[in-house]
Amino acid sequence: MLTYIIKKFWILLLSLFLVATLTFFLMHAIPGDPFTQDKAIPEEIMAALKKHYGLDRPLWVQYLSYLKGIVTFDLGPSFKYEGRTVSEIIMQGFPISLELGAEAIFLAIGLGISLGTLAAFNHLRWQDQFVMFFAVLGVSLPSFIVATALQYVFSMKLELLPVARWGSFTHSILPAVSLSLLPAAFIARLTRSNMVEILQQDYILTARSKGLAPFRIAVVHVLRNALLPVISFLGPLAAAVLTGSFVVEKIFGIPGLGGWFVMSVVNRDYTVIMGTTLFYSACLMVCVLVVDILYCLIDPRIKLNERVAET
Amino acid sequence: MIKVKNLNVRFKNVHAVRGVDLEIQNGETVAIVGESGCGKSALAKSLVKLFPKKTAEFSGEVIYNGQNILTFSEKELRKIRGKEIGMIFQDPMTSLNPVLTIGFQITESYLRHFPEKSKKDAVKRTEELLELVGIPKDRIYHYPHTLSGGMRQRALIAIALAASPKLLIADEPTTALDVTLQAQILDLLKDLQKKLGMSILIITHDLSVVAGFADKVLVMYAGKIIESANVDDLFETPSHPYTQRLLRSKPRLDMPRSEPLLPIDGTPPDLSKQFAGCSFCPRCTESLEICKNETPPIFNINPGHTSACWLKK
Amino acid sequence: MNAWQRLKVNKTGMFGLYFLSLLMIMAIFGPLLSSHTYYETQLPLKNQTPSLQYWFGTDELGRDIFTRIWWGARISLLVGISASVLDLLIGVIYGAICGFFGGKIDELMMRVADILSTIPYLLVVILLMVVVGPGLLSIIIALSITGWIGMARIVRGQVLQLKEFDYVTAARALGANSSWILSKHLIPNTTPSIIVTLTLSIPTAIFAEAFLSFLGLGVQAPIASWGTMANDGLPALRYYPWRLFFPAAFISVTMLSFNLLGDALRDALDPRLRI
């Protein structure tokens, strides 16, 4: 078990290293420099600025210092916001995005599994059709459209919920719902097809021949098997919620990390872009690793070492 | 102790069981033999109506303990399944839930029917059962994938017996196992029957399984029982042409090697159609004119030996 | 029943097909139907509700939304289809090589693909857009560079499966060499999966373009893409909702149609996969 985790951990580090390198060279491949955006700056000031930010050093020196910075959590200063460092920005925005993301994930899982189960147990009847249609909608309607539609209907017209900003629980309802619809649709589809397959398995027949009640069969026998693939979906789920947050935070004016990322992209604030990208990648990779481990713990069939099955 | 009268089972447009009568006495072993698609599995499952809701239509009676359980509600039937009538199925590799331990799957059945018992009692019972079927006790906390095919089938037997049913229905229990395991499982079942005094209904397509195991044999063809006899009578003096051909088609140790095998021409009939006359007639080499138009009733050939054939031998 | 008949029975899939056909026709001929162009600004006529003169209304610079929608359709369809086709080419080649040669090559290449896929797709696209700069070509290139992994995995899976089948062994026994087997046996059998995956990856590309444009990274004014139109329409949502409504509706229904069509194709081409 331990060797497995360590192996995966090394892969994670390798991937992060690749991402860091890639983003570094990408940012430095952009023509021009961070300062020539607004107005023409005199030569001496430009040189002084470059020296201040260390941009006059040879590329590979900058690269190494960048890598060193990552290890010490020093991701550099923001070029657009005087006096703020990238780490500060991340620490400020991340908790907000985390809260929003967690709400969305809970919603997605709850909604997705319930609907998927409903559909599977009523295979090919109207409940199934309805759930399948909802699932296709969820997958096709882009999150920013759902978000704006919800905002329009519930905030502007019906005035039931706040339009934007962050603060209380009610502020998080619409954004969380918008974020959760796409993953919920995926989970519903996945749950449904797994369950339908499982319901046709022989061991369900065995369970029924024991005289067990349908509810017990559903929960103890079906669900446990059906949920395994859903758990392994949690990794991509986290990624979807993450990218969805860029747009949802923009629409609802939420000061989370996604909003910062978008602004830094629009402003060409390179250090912030690199820093947040790296941070996001790290988060996602950790998520995937956790999910992998979880999956191994839950499914008794997975062998974590090389031992041959006993007979 | 269980009597089936004129059982008919239909699925959508397939008439799988066509007016079957059978009787199983206490402690008796009855075998139902037939080719794939003759309706025998459907017959087995029908005794406890083990089909998904609304997929099958039933008519006739299944009388157990003086009541027609075919009219029972699903809730009442669940009390019978596992407790009065236990079942084991064909494929041990897929009949066990892979994410639950063997012990759990056995205690589950026990506790469902005896909810007043404690967990300790259940574990004790499970250990007894494992010993009974020949599985080492330490396997109680193991998962199915750590067990071989033969062991899994034994585990399934333990599960079926957990609540001490009076009748065990075994649907092709040895078909998925190799020959040596077959013998082991059959011996085990015979042994358990003696110890526990239960009746066994075994469904199989293999006549060799039946000899030396069953007391009474029913031969099924196209949804009907076409011959029924004691096992010795059936093997020595088979009456129905189908049974005769079935016995002749199997190679025997005492046959000279040069003698060719004798298969039955043609294929089993499609159960979504109705037949005029005897359903075996198209493949029968001894058919009479009457066979084509009139369905033969069940004739008594000898005491305890019936055959549904106009030839009446 | 052959595949085409099975497809026709699937009502939602056919809806998708009809809508997309209609969309393509309108994308070509739509701008000709109205008397306005997509870039002509008429400031006094800005933010008009839909009327007889301006069927979908006007935007904040007085441009005709109706015409711009069809130009947007051209962009979305162009980006969606070309990015997907490029992904297809890259993915099929990559996947076929992996699956066919197996062994170390397969392991190495798939490992690379796995590492690449842990980085969120849209994140990489955004980064590329920042580097390459906005514009239609950049979007298409950025999307193709990142989106091929799914296709590669599917093709590889199919090839691995098919390699085991007896008719490949039979072909080899008859003396067929690798490229013959590849082109005559493996590729025709993987085609259904490829078609379905292609159809289903187009909405992802369309979404990505709309997403980018919505964030301000897409095509530049005055070119109309549905994403930029939605972005422009957002601040005016309260008072002039149609400016967001039309592009949003078109993005949604187009993506929906591709998804429905893709699902229907999957059912029609390989009924065994159907649940």
Side-chain angles (χ1 to χ4, degrees):
Chain A
M1 170 79 167
L2 205 57
T3 39
Y4 182 77
I5 300 181
I6 294 180
K7 193 171 101 163
K8 287 269 164 170
F9 193 68
W10 280 119
I11 296 183
L12 189 150
L13 283 182
L14 178 68
S15 311
L16 268 179
F17 173 72
L18 260 159
V19 173
T21 309
L22 239 128
T23 42
F24 179 85
F25 285 106
L26 268 181
M27 290 301 119
H28 283 267
I30 300 174
D33 48 65
F35 314 110
T36 44
Q37 283 283 305
D38 312 324
K39 48 195 185 271
I41 304 180
E43 278 283 332
E44 311 90 54
I45 302 191
M46 180 74 86
L49 274 172
K50 285 200 172 160
K51 185 142 184 250
H52 176 72
Y53 283 113
L55 292 174
D56 54 339
R57 298 171 293 171
L59 202 60
W60 65 273
V61 173
Q62 291 189 46
Y63 178 56
L64 286 175
S65 123
Y66 172 64
L67 286 180
K68 187 174 129 215
I70 293 177
V71 178
T72 57
F73 292 132
D74 170 19
L75 294 162
S78 157
F79 287 141
K80 285 297 168 191
Y81 296 97
E82 283 292 325
R84 310 199 73 187
T85 64
V86 175
S87 320
E88 269 171 25
I89 294 179
I90 292 180
M91 285 305 119
Q92 192 186 37
F94 181 60
I96 297 177
S97 297
L98 186 64
E99 197 186 317
L100 178 61
E103 267 184 53
I105 290 181
F106 264 122
L107 218 70
I109 294 180
L111 194 62
I113 293 183
S114 324
L115 285 177
T117 310
L118 178 68
F121 277 89
N122 290 292
H123 191 36
L124 298 178
R125 277 173 263 164
W126 69 264
Q127 295 98 327
D128 191 10
Q129 315 268 23
F130 168 74
V131 168
M132 281 289 92
F133 185 67
F134 160 78
V136 178
L137 274 186
V139 167
S140 317
L141 294 178
S143 47
F144 58 88
I145 292 180
V146 172
T148 47
L150 287 175
Q151 195 182 45
Y152 184 68
V153 170
F154 287 97
S155 300
M156 297 184 186
K157 286 293 157 186
L158 297 178
E159 292 185 9
L160 281 173
L161 291 162
V163 172
R165 299 282 169 245
W166 189 250
S168 62
F169 176 69
T170 45
H171 279 105
S172 66
I173 296 181
L174 286 182
V177 170
S178 325
L179 257 186
S180 67
L181 280 175
L182 173 66
F186 263 111
I187 293 179
R189 279 223 282 217
L190 197 58
T191 309
R192 171 193 174 269
S193 63
N194 284 337
M195 280 203 165
V196 168
E197 209 188 297
I198 287 172
L199 284 172
Q200 292 165 354
Q201 293 291 319
D202 286 338
Y203 56 82
I204 299 295
L205 191 62
T206 307
R208 293 187 61 225
S209 74
K210 293 199 276 199
L212 300 176
F215 184 71
R216 188 185 166 91
I217 296 183
V219 171
V220 172
H221 289 264
V222 179
L223 215 60
R224 223 177 278 205
N225 278 279
L227 287 185
L228 291 175
V230 174
I231 291 178
S232 61
F233 181 69
L234 285 181
L237 171 64
V241 166
L242 188 147
T243 47
S245 73
F246 300 161
V247 131
V248 168
E249 286 180 13
K250 172 179 170 170
I251 293 176
F252 288 99
I254 297 174
L257 198 54
W260 280 106
F261 179 69
V262 173
M263 276 208 286
S264 70
V265 163
V266 170
N267 293 330
R268 306 293 193 267
D269 194 346
Y270 303 119
T271 41
V272 178
I273 296 178
M274 285 197 294
T276 40
T277 305
L278 206 60
F279 185 74
Y280 273 139
S281 299
C283 282
L284 278 171
M285 291 178 193
V286 168
C287 266
V288 171
L289 183 63
V290 167
V291 166
D292 265 342
I293 297 176
L294 218 70
Y295 195 89
C296 285
L297 284 175
I298 294 185
D299 186 349
R301 285 168 292 185
I302 306 281
K303 303 279 176 299
L304 293 176
N305 47 37
E306 251 72 293
R307 246 190 311 157
V308 176
E310 305 147 6
T311 38
Chain B
M1 55 81 78
I2 188 166
K3 219 188 226 183
V4 175
K5 279 202 210 149
N6 197 20
L7 180 63
N8 277 283
V9 182
R10 284 181 183 80
F11 305 104
K12 278 213 194 143
N13 54 353
V14 174
H15 191 170
V17 180
R18 305 180 179 206
V20 164
D21 295 313
L22 72 86
E23 240 182 77
I24 306 178
Q25 308 295 343
N26 279 321
E28 197 182 18
T29 305
V30 174
I32 299 187
V33 179
E35 289 170 283
S36 314
C38 71
K40 53 193 200 295
S41 249
L43 173 60
K45 290 191 194 142
S46 305
L47 295 184
V48 288
K49 276 169 107 171
L50 200 68
F51 299 106
K53 269 190 290 188
K54 299 192 197 150
T55 47
E57 268 172 48
F58 300 91
S59 76
E61 299 179 324
V62 174
I63 306 198
Y64 180 76
N65 269 347
Q67 293 175 298
N68 180 6
I69 59 180
L70 228 46
T71 59
F72 278 14
S73 69
E74 182 67 15
K75 201 160 163 212
E76 292 166 325
L77 276 168
R78 286 203 289 267
K79 292 213 197 91
I80 298 199
R81 292 183 197 138
K83 183 153 195 302
E84 309 288 335
I85 302 180
M87 285 188 78
I88 56 176
F89 302 98
Q90 179 172 335
D91 192 350
M93 303 307 275
T94 55
S95 295
L96 287 167
N97 192 329
V99 300
L100 300 171
T101 59
I102 309 291
F104 182 94
Q105 297 187 53
I106 300 177
T107 53
E108 186 182 32
S109 183
Y110 183 66
L111 289 173
R112 185 259 178 270
H113 293 288
F114 300 110
E116 70 280 3
K117 299 280 183 189
S118 73
K119 194 154 174 242
K120 249 171 84 178
D121 290 332
V123 171
K124 197 152 151 276
R125 169 83 179 140
T126 305
E127 289 180 341
E128 272 170 30
L129 285 162
L130 286 176
E131 205 172 355
L132 210 58
V133 300
I135 297 181
K137 274 198 264 203
D138 62 334
R139 297 302 175 116
I140 197 176
Y141 296 116
H142 278 220
Y143 290 96
H145 66 268
T146 61
L147 267 57
S148 67
M151 291 261 243
R152 289 192 214 196
Q153 191 62 295
R154 291 170 194 266
L156 284 164
I157 295 175
I159 292 176
L161 297 177
S164 314
K166 308 215 183 48
L167 168 66
L168 177 68
I169 302 181
D171 189 357
E172 309 248 24
T174 54
T175 307
L177 303 171
D178 64 52
V179 189
T180 41
L181 285 177
Q182 259 185 33
Q184 280 177 21
I185 297 291
L186 288 174
D187 284 341
L188 174 64
L189 285 174
K190 211 57 207 184
D191 190 42
L192 289 170
Q193 185 186 37
K194 268 197 226 117
K195 281 199 189 129
L196 306 171
M198 61 182 182
S199 316
I200 298 184
L201 173 65
I202 180 167
I203 317 282
T204 178
H205 64 268
D206 190 347
L207 275 170
S208 51
V209 160
V210 165
F213 182 75
D215 301 320
K216 199 160 89 181
V217 183
L218 278 59
V219 181
M220 196 163 174
Y221 187 82
K224 291 199 168 105
I225 303 286
I226 48 113
E227 183 161 0
S228 141
N230 294 327
V231 63
D232 296 322
D233 285 343
L234 193 90
F235 277 88
E236 280 165 33
T237 51
S239 166
H240 197 284
Y242 176 62
T243 320
Q244 291 172 347
R245 294 298 298 270
L246 215 55
L247 286 165
R248 288 258 289 284
S249 67
K250 224 179 160 63
R252 297 164 55 137
L253 278 177
D254 56 351
M255 245 165 61
R257 282 173 69 166
S258 51
E259 196 171 313
L261 291 176
L262 207 61
I264 310 176
D265 289 329
T267 49
D270 179 358
L271 285 175
S272 60
K273 304 199 167 66
Q274 294 294 334
F275 312 109
C278 173
S279 45
F280 185 60
C281 184
R283 302 167 81 186
C284 186
T285 50
E286 304 170 53
S287 59
L288 309 168
E289 202 42 47
I290 192 177
C291 299
K292 288 198 204 129
N293 304 308
E294 309 253 347
T295 313
I298 305 203
F299 295 103
N300 265 309
I301 309 295
N302 282 320
H305 188 160
T306 61
S307 167
C309 177
W310 288 114
L311 293 169
K312 285 191 256 189
K313 22 175 212 148
Chain C
M1 274 221 251
N2 72 14
W4 176 238
Q5 285 168 316
R6 282 195 291 264
L7 183 63
K8 279 204 285 198
V9 170
N10 189 324
K11 287 189 244 160
T12 48
M14 290 313 284
F15 163 78
L17 188 62
Y18 291 140
F19 177 80
L20 290 173
S21 316
L22 204 63
L23 186 68
M24 286 194 209
I25 295 176
M26 286 306 285
I28 301 174
F29 297 110
L32 303 172
L33 285 177
S34 88
S35 49
H36 311 282
T37 64
Y38 72 90
Y39 49 80
E40 200 184 311
T41 63
Q42 298 260 23
L43 282 169
L45 291 169
K46 68 179 180 190
N47 293 324
Q48 298 246 322
T49 55
S51 62
L52 278 176
Q53 238 211 337
Y54 290 97
W55 294 340
F56 285 174
T58 58
D59 65 7
E60 78 282 9
L61 291 178
R63 295 177 291 203
D64 176 29
I65 293 182
F66 180 81
T67 320
R68 286 171 67 80
I69 285 280
W70 304 122
W71 278 94
R74 292 184 187 186
I75 305 251
S76 292
L77 287 174
L78 182 67
V79 170
I81 296 178
S82 34
S84 298
V85 169
L86 280 172
D87 276 339
L88 172 78
L89 288 172
I90 302 175
V92 166
I93 296 176
Y94 198 89
I97 295 178
C98 283
F100 193 73
F101 289 108
K104 287 284 173 202
I105 299 182
D106 177 32
E107 221 186 288
L108 182 67
M109 286 173 84
M110 285 321 285
R111 194 54 75 81
V112 168
D114 280 340
I115 295 185
L116 285 177
S117 66
T118 51
I119 311 170
Y121 164 67
L122 281 170
L123 204 62
V124 178
V125 176
I126 292 178
L127 288 178
L128 282 173
M129 290 308 295
V130 171
V131 174
V132 173
L136 200 52
L137 195 59
S138 333
I139 297 181
I140 295 179
I141 294 178
L143 291 180
S144 343
I145 294 182
T146 48
W148 54 267
I149 299 183
M151 179 68 81
R153 284 223 181 94
I154 292 194
V155 172
R156 170 186 175 269
Q158 290 269 299
V159 172
L160 282 177
Q161 245 188 359
L162 289 170
K163 256 191 355 176
E164 304 301 315
F165 280 173
D166 288 333
Y167 61 85
V168 175
T169 318
R172 271 208 192 282
L174 290 173
N177 70 15
S178 297
S179 63
W180 175 269
I181 291 182
L182 203 64
S183 58
K184 281 279 187 293
H185 291 281
L186 295 177
I187 290 187
N189 273 286
T190 57
T191 308
S193 292
I194 291 180
I195 294 181
V196 172
T197 311
L198 181 68
T199 312
L200 290 175
S201 62
I202 295 180
T204 314
I206 294 182
F207 171 73
E209 184 274 318
F211 186 83
L212 287 172
S213 303
F214 195 75
L215 292 178
L217 285 168
V219 292
Q220 301 297 78
I223 299 181
S225 103
W226 288 340
T228 48
M229 289 172 74
N231 191 20
D232 293 338
L234 181 65
L237 182 60
R238 194 185 278 263
Y239 302 110
Y240 312 114
W242 65 90
R243 279 173 51 196
L244 177 61
F245 171 74
F246 282 111
F250 271 92
I251 297 175
S252 310
V253 181
T254 305
M255 283 178 65
L256 186 67
S257 303
F258 273 111
N259 277 323
L260 289 174
L261 182 61
D263 277 347
L265 278 173
R266 186 198 291 134
D267 283 345
L269 289 170
D270 191 353
R272 290 170 296 159
L273 292 175
R274 171 176 231 176
I275 284 192

